Amino acid sequence: SFSANLQSPLELVPLRRFYNNIYNNTRGKPLQSRKVTEKYKQGGKPSLALVYQAVQALYHDPDPTGKERASVWLGELQRSMYAWEISDQLLQLKQDVESCYFAAQTMKMKIQTSFYELPPETHNALRDSLLTHIQNLKDLSPIIVTQLALAIADLALQMASWKGCVHTLIEKYSNDISSMPFLVEILTVLPEEVHSRSLRIGANRRTEIIEDLAYYSSTVVTLLTTCVEKTGSDEKMLIKVFRCLGSWFNLGVLDSNFMASNQLLMVLFQVLQRDETSTNLHEAASDCVCSALYAIENVDTNMALALQLFQGVLTLETAYHMAVAREDLDKVLNYCRIFTELCETFLETTVRSPGQGMGDLRTLELLLICAGHPQYEVVEISFNFWYRLGEHLYKINDAALHTIFRPYIQRLLHCLARHCQLDPDHEGIPEDTDDFGEFRMRVSDLVKDVIFLVGSMECFSQLYSTLKEGNPPWEVTEAVLFIMAAIAKSVDPENNPTLSEVLQQVVLLPESVHMAVRYTSIELVGEMSEVVDRNPRFLDPVLNYLMKGLREKPLASAAAKAIHNICSVCRDHMAQHFQGLLDIARSLDSFALSTEAAVGLLKGTALVLARLPLEKIAECLSDLCAVQVLALKKLLAEESTNGKSADPTVWLDRLAVIFRHTNPIVENGQTHPCQKVIQEIWPVLSDTLNTHQADNRIVERCCRCLRFAVRCVGKGSASLLQPLVTQMVSVYQVYPHSCFLYLGSILVDEYGMEEGCRQGLLDMLQALCMPTFQLLEQPNGLRNHPDTVDDLFRLATRFVQRSPVTLLSSSIIVHIIQCAIAATSLDHRDANCSVMKFVRDLIHTGVANDHEEDFEVRKQLIGQAMEQHGQQLITQLMHSCCFCLPPYTLPDVAEVLWEVMVFDRPTFCRWLESALKGLPKETSGGAVTVTHKQLTDFHKQVTSAEECKQVCWAIREFTRLFR
């Protein structure tokens, strides 16, 4: 066995004795999780009996804490070196399904993540052992076979010495009919694992494998064909064959001419045409056809196979109708997937030559037949195709083409309007959070994207005329209003009598109509705010209509959202109604509003407030804030009298939205009208922050509120600077909430250019950095606190942008740079972006000669920093982008490399060469990761680049070698 080849620190006990021990220990005895747990604590290699007991506890212990302990312990075991040997032995024992599944899964996991632990001389023994196990366990359970097949596939991909693994496996097992299921399983997962993210085999090895698989692909297809001939009536085997074929199609290695004339293609379509095909087989065949269609996306180079698939799919229309007649929704969905994939594959052909050859418009007819199915889930499958078709036609912008496709889009819109209808017995407003509500939102998005083909105005008028001329039932009216709301904004509001008429009629709707109709009509009014802005005579009737809605619980949030829209678009006209808005804001909690709707109303009110005459703003802002301030004061008073803490976040969020959107135009030299109000409110915010300083969520909301207050008045908040910074620093020493760092970055942004504030802000930075570094230096500190990393480097970046010399001359800069270098490997989108931006901006201050008098000083300081940290930075960056960071971060890395290179190209060339020499040249499986030529080519591409995007392209290509 493979485990005998492992140099283990403990001598192996003969397997039979192990088996007897386990059998005697566990036969007929209930497992005591406590006893097991005590044994779990033993160090060194655990006995097989103990592992077996833990697995039993994991699956059968009635006590959840026992299960949890077993799970944690087994997880530790899987990460240890002993896992190889123990899982191999458990598979030999074949005791039961649970222990074998655990062992097979462990084996797969170890090969995926810890293959480097094994010395190369054990690889052959591991392969032989796994093949023995899969043969011995093939009848125990399909899930065990799948896990072992994955283990074998992952081993084959990493083990460079195992040449022609497909050929070896087929030669070894194809003549034994009982081995066929596991052989086909290995051949299914092998192509799937080639692009697995769990395996970092690198582009060179991946290319080698794909070429190898392409070479043997026809052998595999021939094997599958033979398999179908031998076991034609065995449905399970046929499903396996289709899954396997689909897997090879997905990898894109099958010869399309060979496949075009292959028997398997005919079998696939026969299965899909047969009415009696079972659900599982039908799904497997559908998946396979979809994979084939996806594989020939480049139709011109796969003409023969494209034609076969095209003609084959067109024959399925009758089968679709049969499935509809039998109300077999699973099959209907499968056919719709196939028709959609057909349309996606032939999209460019259809747009290039509509109605000719494989641009045959019967493909669109198939999708519209599906759109006519009563279940909305069917049409939803095709949405992505309609988006793409709209996008293609929009880019081409050819009127003749639009004319050809317009009737299809009109029919689609007609179907969508019908699908959006609520049930006639529906009560209350439309739900927007259930599946049907989400479907309607997707319809709304799709309609907005394709409406240009039909013409917004034409469509809007047609929809309106169906309401005006007929007397449709309420659910039809509601669906038509819903589609009208989706396109209202794309209709030109200039001198448009239809829009005016619609608005007039909607606000006259009686209260007796169905609640859902009133709800959607309110949404439509909100979407027509541009029309109200052009026709101010409508403002009063519209506001009266929305106020009625605001007073009714089911309609209140929709009405609030519509009022917010009208405030945003009609700010100048709404100024005369400010007192009304203020009255609503004062009694906000008397309306049944969602949190979001209440905040939206305040936002609308603040936008209108900013358009009032300057002398009125202070008083009105004070009135608007008063309700929230009083509520906060009340909470603080209750806290001090009865010691109970109440949640102030609702009031803080409302204040934040008021400050954020009150942006009056203030001329130079004028006192900001909001300054006095914010100074008056500060003590309450300060007390709230102190009271809740241990609660991260509330502190975050306090900081957000203060951030918008500071942004609102800019330099006018100077009197708050000293007390605010003092409080931030003092709380942060005890409770290091990262939002204080973010708030610090806002203060630096506002005051960093002021000579008199710089030293104070630097003291703040240094005081905040000490607890931050202590937090990040803990084990896994960077990974466990990405928000702190993000906010720390936002703060540092603001300093670089506003006062670089102050920062670069300080003693703290060395520690910040070292922290940044360590954090470049952090795989967290926002945190990594902030780190890279800091490093890039820092170096850029020594590059950008902005003719400021401090440029030479900056250049000298950056030179000193680079001399000290440059090599370490470049080495760490190369290591991070090869082994730690996802591809989307690479443009940021490229910008840093570019700035270093622009600053000092000769030195950068040496640093990069040294960093590249330190990269591993081979994988643990013996495959070449990167050749000497690839290293020198990359070095040359980067160092001779004339713009940053060339560096980015080079890194993208290079890092693929390590993924």
Side-chain angles (χ1 to χ4, degrees):
S1 88
F2 151 71
S3 48
N5 288 287
L6 279 171
Q7 296 303 305
S8 123
L10 294 171
E11 204 177 319
L12 282 175
V13 181
L15 283 180
R16 190 174 299 134
R17 209 166 80 222
F18 256 130
Y19 181 82
N20 290 338
N21 287 348
I22 290 173
Y23 185 70
N24 294 332
N25 285 348
T26 57
R27 184 169 45 181
K29 292 182 188 173
L31 279 161
Q32 299 293 314
S33 62
R34 192 154 35 99
K35 283 183 184 170
V36 171
T37 312
E38 282 164 13
K39 290 182 184 175
Y40 293 167
K41 291 175 183 169
Q42 296 166 0
K45 187 181 114 183
S47 71
L48 270 188
L50 185 55
V51 177
Y52 185 75
Q53 277 184 301
V55 172
Q56 289 297 307
L58 179 67
Y59 287 101
H60 303 295
D61 194 325
D63 176 13
T65 54
K67 278 184 188 290
E68 181 57 32
R69 285 197 203 105
S71 174
V72 169
W73 187 81
L74 288 168
E76 287 297 321
L77 171 65
Q78 284 183 317
R79 286 187 284 278
S80 75
M81 269 295 288
Y82 302 117
W84 294 103
E85 191 179 336
I86 284 168
S87 49
D88 187 46
Q89 291 171 350
L90 284 173
L91 289 166
Q92 283 175 38
L93 281 176
K94 201 178 172 181
Q95 181 85 357
D96 56 23
V97 172
E98 286 103 342
S99 61
C100 287
Y101 177 70
F102 169 74
Q105 189 198 34
T106 302
M107 212 35 125
K108 177 203 73 177
M109 201 184 86
K110 293 298 283 183
I111 290 170
Q112 279 183 347
T113 59
S114 311
F115 190 56
Y116 61 86
E117 291 177 352
L118 295 182
E121 59 274 15
T122 62
H123 294 175
N124 284 339
L126 174 60
R127 176 193 62 197
D128 298 343
S129 181
L130 286 171
L131 291 172
T132 305
H133 291 321
I134 201 167
Q135 191 156 25
N136 292 341
L137 298 166
K138 62 178 183 277
D139 302 320
L140 187 59
S141 162
I143 57 169
I144 293 170
V145 170
T146 301
Q147 293 297 313
L148 287 172
L150 283 163
I152 291 162
D154 292 339
L155 177 65
L157 296 177
Q158 294 181 87
M159 187 174 154
S161 58
W162 187 0
K163 305 285 184 198
C165 65
V166 172
H167 181 67
T168 316
L169 292 166
I170 290 176
E171 207 168 51
K172 187 167 184 177
Y173 298 113
S174 61
N175 295 323
D176 172 16
I177 198 82
S178 70
S179 301
M180 208 54 117
F182 76 74
L183 172 61
V184 173
E185 187 68 24
I186 297 171
L187 293 174
T188 303
V189 297
L190 186 63
E192 290 171 352
E193 290 295 285
V194 170
H195 292 291
S196 163
R197 290 189 176 176
S198 311
L199 300 176
R200 297 184 74 98
I201 55 177
N204 287 335
R205 175 67 180 152
R206 199 167 276 114
T207 304
E208 185 188 334
I209 289 160
I210 291 171
E211 285 171 1
D212 196 46
L213 295 182
Y215 183 75
Y216 290 112
S217 61
S218 49
T219 315
V220 173
V221 175
T222 306
L223 171 79
L224 295 177
T225 312
T226 312
C227 197
V228 171
E229 286 164 4
K230 284 185 184 173
T231 61
S233 57
D234 181 352
E235 186 183 295
K236 280 185 178 172
M237 202 60 216
L238 206 49
I239 290 172
K240 279 185 172 295
V241 166
F242 289 161
R243 268 194 59 224
C244 186
L245 183 62
S247 174
W248 285 74
F249 267 127
N250 285 335
L251 191 62
V253 292
L254 294 180
D255 181 300
S256 64
N257 291 328
F258 176 71
M259 284 312 301
S261 56
N262 191 272
Q263 188 70 23
L264 280 179
L265 216 54
M266 215 165 67
V267 176
L268 263 178
F269 285 110
Q270 281 169 357
V271 164
L272 289 168
Q273 285 158 356
R274 274 207 309 270
D275 184 31
E276 61 275 13
T277 299
S278 74
T279 305
N280 289 345
L281 181 57
H282 197 275
E283 186 173 5
S286 302
D287 288 344
C288 188
V289 170
C290 288
S291 296
L293 285 164
Y294 186 77
I296 57 151
E297 195 113 47
N298 190 348
V299 175
D300 298 336
T301 57
N302 298 293
M303 225 33 164
L305 180 56
L307 191 59
Q308 289 298 320
L309 289 168
F310 186 84
Q311 291 168 343
V313 174
L314 288 181
T315 65
L316 300 179
E317 188 183 337
T318 315
Y320 168 82
H321 289 300
M322 185 60 86
V324 173
R326 293 200 186 279
E327 296 187 3
D328 189 337
L329 186 59
D330 288 331
K331 285 187 180 176
V332 167
L333 291 167
N334 285 336
Y335 289 124
C336 188
R337 281 196 298 130
I338 293 171
F339 298 156
T340 303
E341 202 62 66
L342 177 78
C343 288
E344 296 245 24
T345 295
F346 292 97
L347 172 62
E348 287 186 18
T349 315
T350 311
V351 173
R352 197 170 55 226
S353 50
Q356 298 165 28
M358 285 187 275
D360 194 328
L361 294 172
R362 277 184 298 167
T363 54
L364 297 192
E365 289 290 348
L366 286 174
L367 280 198
L368 288 171
I369 290 169
C370 292
H373 191 278
Q375 299 280 356
Y376 70 83
E377 294 91 342
V378 180
V379 68
E380 195 169 16
I381 289 171
S382 64
F383 278 15
N384 191 54
F385 165 73
W386 295 113
Y387 280 126
R388 283 187 60 207
L389 176 65
E391 197 177 34
H392 259 68
L393 293 171
Y394 186 77
K395 279 181 185 164
I396 294 169
N397 195 15
D398 177 338
L401 266 183
H402 288 194
T403 310
I404 294 171
F405 288 99
R406 184 172 295 124
Y408 294 95
I409 300 296
Q410 281 169 329
R411 285 163 60 194
L412 173 70
L413 292 175
H414 183 74
C415 290
L416 293 176
R418 203 181 64 254
H419 279 298
C420 283
Q421 289 173 20
L422 297 160
D423 288 334
D425 57 358
H426 179 92
E427 290 180 6
I429 64 170
E431 285 293 329
D432 52 2
T433 50
D434 61 3
D435 288 348
F436 185 55
E438 285 180 11
F439 166 74
R440 285 179 28 130
M441 294 326 297
R442 288 194 66 199
V443 168
S444 177
D445 291 341
L446 177 59
V447 168
K448 286 171 185 157
D449 279 4
V450 298
I451 195 65
F452 73 92
L453 282 163
V454 179
S456 309
M457 189 58 233
E458 188 185 328
C459 183
F460 197 83
S461 303
Q462 275 178 3
L463 289 165
Y464 178 51
S465 65
T466 61
L467 297 183
K468 200 164 69 165
E469 288 156 18
N471 184 18
W474 75 264
E475 68 274 12
V476 174
T477 303
E478 191 279 334
V480 169
L481 290 171
F482 177 77
I483 300 291
M484 287 169 76
I487 57 178
K489 275 189 178 158
S490 58
V491 180
D492 183 6
E494 263 323 314
N495 305 322
N496 196 321
T498 308
L499 285 176
S500 306
E501 191 183 331
V502 168
L503 200 52
Q504 259 171 326
Q505 292 303 315
V506 168
V507 299
L508 293 174
L509 275 175
E511 289 180 30
S512 56
V513 300
H514 193 288
M515 188 65 81
V517 174
R518 290 179 65 200
Y519 179 89
T520 304
S521 68
I522 286 171
E523 289 195 319
L524 173 58
V525 170
E527 291 295 309
M528 294 178 75
S529 44
E530 295 271 357
V531 184
V532 179
D533 193 43
R534 306 287 166 94
N535 302 279
R537 67 181 188 281
F538 290 136
L539 191 56
D540 284 359
V542 162
L543 289 176
N544 289 335
Y545 179 66
L546 295 177
M547 277 309 297
K548 275 186 209 162
L550 195 62
R551 292 190 191 98
E552 288 188 53
K553 187 177 177 179
L555 305 174
S557 290
K561 188 180 171 192
I563 293 171
H564 164 209
N565 278 356
I566 293 203
C567 289
S568 303
V569 175
C570 317
R571 288 166 76 171
D572 293 324
H573 299 309
M574 281 298 291
Q576 58 182 323
H577 292 279
F578 182 75
Q579 193 54 48
L581 290 171
L582 192 56
D583 293 341
I584 295 172
R586 281 183 179 139
S587 53
L588 211 48
D589 292 313
S590 67
F591 305 107
L593 296 173
S594 67
T595 310
E596 187 189 355
V599 166
L601 254 180
L602 288 173
K603 175 183 171 183
T605 308
L607 289 169
V608 175
L609 168 64
R611 292 296 169 95
L612 298 181
L614 273 189
E615 65 277 6
K616 283 191 175 178
I617 288 178
E619 185 193 343
C620 292
L621 178 64
S622 188
D623 286 348
L624 189 56
C625 295
V627 181
Q628 345 300 331
V629 174
L630 282 171
L632 288 173
K633 281 180 175 169
K634 191 178 165 196
L635 292 182
L636 290 166
E638 286 170 7
E639 166 84 23
S640 62
T641 53
N642 63 19
K644 281 188 180 167
S645 171
D647 188 348
T649 52
V650 169
W651 313 106
L652 291 169
D653 287 351
R654 290 180 184 181
L655 278 176
V657 80
I658 294 167
F659 295 145
R660 183 176 192 174
H661 297 286
T662 306
N663 298 318
I665 297 159
V666 182
E667 302 295 328
N668 271 348
Q670 285 180 312
T671 304
H672 198 290
C674 306
Q675 188 175 323
K676 182 168 166 286
V677 183
I678 286 169
Q679 280 167 349
E680 287 166 4
I681 291 174
W682 158 247
V684 183
L685 292 176
S686 175
D687 290 348
T688 304
L689 180 54
N690 258 341
T691 304
H692 298 279
Q693 58 182 276
D695 187 324
N696 182 57
R697 189 177 64 93
I698 296 175
V699 171
E700 212 162 67
R701 299 303 232 291
C702 277
C703 286
R704 187 169 173 271
C705 189
L706 287 162
R707 158 194 167 193
F708 290 124
V710 170
R711 287 290 197 208
C712 174
V713 293
K715 303 284 185 293
S717 60
S719 62
L720 302 185
L721 195 56
Q722 185 68 46
L724 176 55
V725 168
T726 306
Q727 187 173 2
M728 280 165 55
V729 167
S730 109
V731 176
Y732 193 78
Q733 304 298 319
V734 190
Y735 300 107
H737 304 299
S738 74
C739 51
F740 286 126
L741 299 170
Y742 188 87
L743 186 54
S745 73
I746 303 295
L747 296 175
V748 172
D749 196 37
E750 290 291 342
Y751 293 100
M753 308 280 274
E754 304 289 308
E755 192 57 57
C757 299
R758 284 176 172 171
Q759 188 54 47
L761 290 170
L762 182 65
D763 293 343
M764 173 193 78
L765 173 68
Q766 290 180 315
L768 293 173
C769 274
M770 288 311 144
T772 305
F773 291 150
Q774 282 169 5
L775 188 70
L776 298 180
E777 280 164 7
Q778 292 169 2
N780 288 328
L782 293 166
R783 192 179 306 151
N784 294 341
H785 304 284
D787 292 348
T788 301
V789 175
D790 182 13
D791 292 332
L792 170 67
F793 287 101
R794 279 175 190 268
L795 170 56
T797 303
R798 289 290 191 204
F799 238 113
V800 167
Q801 292 164 346
R802 293 287 173 261
S803 184
V805 175
T806 310
L807 180 63
L808 285 162
S809 312
S810 70
S811 56
I812 197 79
I813 187 64
V814 174
H815 304 287
I816 294 176
I817 292 174
Q818 283 172 342
C819 183
I821 292 172
T824 55
S825 61
L826 185 59
D827 176 8
H828 182 280
R829 188 183 288 264
D830 294 339
N832 195 278
C833 183
S834 290
V835 172
M836 295 299 176
K837 182 164 176 47
F838 163 72
V839 181
R840 180 208 162 279
D841 285 9
L842 184 76
I843 298 161
H844 190 71
T845 55
V847 171
N849 188 354
D850 42 20
H851 305 294
E852 296 278 335
E853 64 268 21
D854 65 354
F855 174 64
E856 287 306 323
V857 180
R858 290 192 328 239
K859 192 174 175 184
Q860 186 186 350
L861 289 167
I862 293 294
Q864 288 166 5
M866 291 312 294
E867 200 176 318
Q868 203 174 346
H869 306 285
Q871 179 66 73
Q872 189 191 356
L873 171 67
I874 301 302
T875 302
Q876 180 71 17
L877 279 175
M878 287 314 303
H879 183 272
S880 295
C881 57
C882 289
F883 300 109
C884 310
L885 299 180
Y888 65 75
T889 59
L890 297 181
D892 296 340
V893 176
E895 285 192 1
V896 174
L897 295 178
W898 173 255
E899 291 296 339
V900 177
M901 185 160 74
V902 172
F903 183 75
D904 183 351
R905 199 174 283 250
T907 311
F908 171 76
C909 292
R910 289 201 304 279
W911 287 338
L912 182 61
E913 185 181 344
S914 169
L916 294 176
K917 280 179 180 167
L919 292 172
K921 313 297 184 284
E922 271 194 7
T923 65
S924 47
V928 174
T929 306
V930 57
T931 64
H932 180 69
K933 184 178 186 307
Q934 285 168 328
L935 286 169
T936 51
D937 285 353
F938 171 67
H939 187 274
K940 187 178 176 186
Q941 283 164 353
V942 173
T943 53
S944 62
E946 286 172 15
E947 52 185 340
C948 183
K949 64 181 177 190
Q950 293 172 315
V951 177
C952 187
W953 291 334
I955 292 182
R956 270 191 202 288
E957 284 307 308
F958 183 70
T959 53
R960 285 195 184 118
L961 300 172
F962 297 88
R963 284 188 205 289

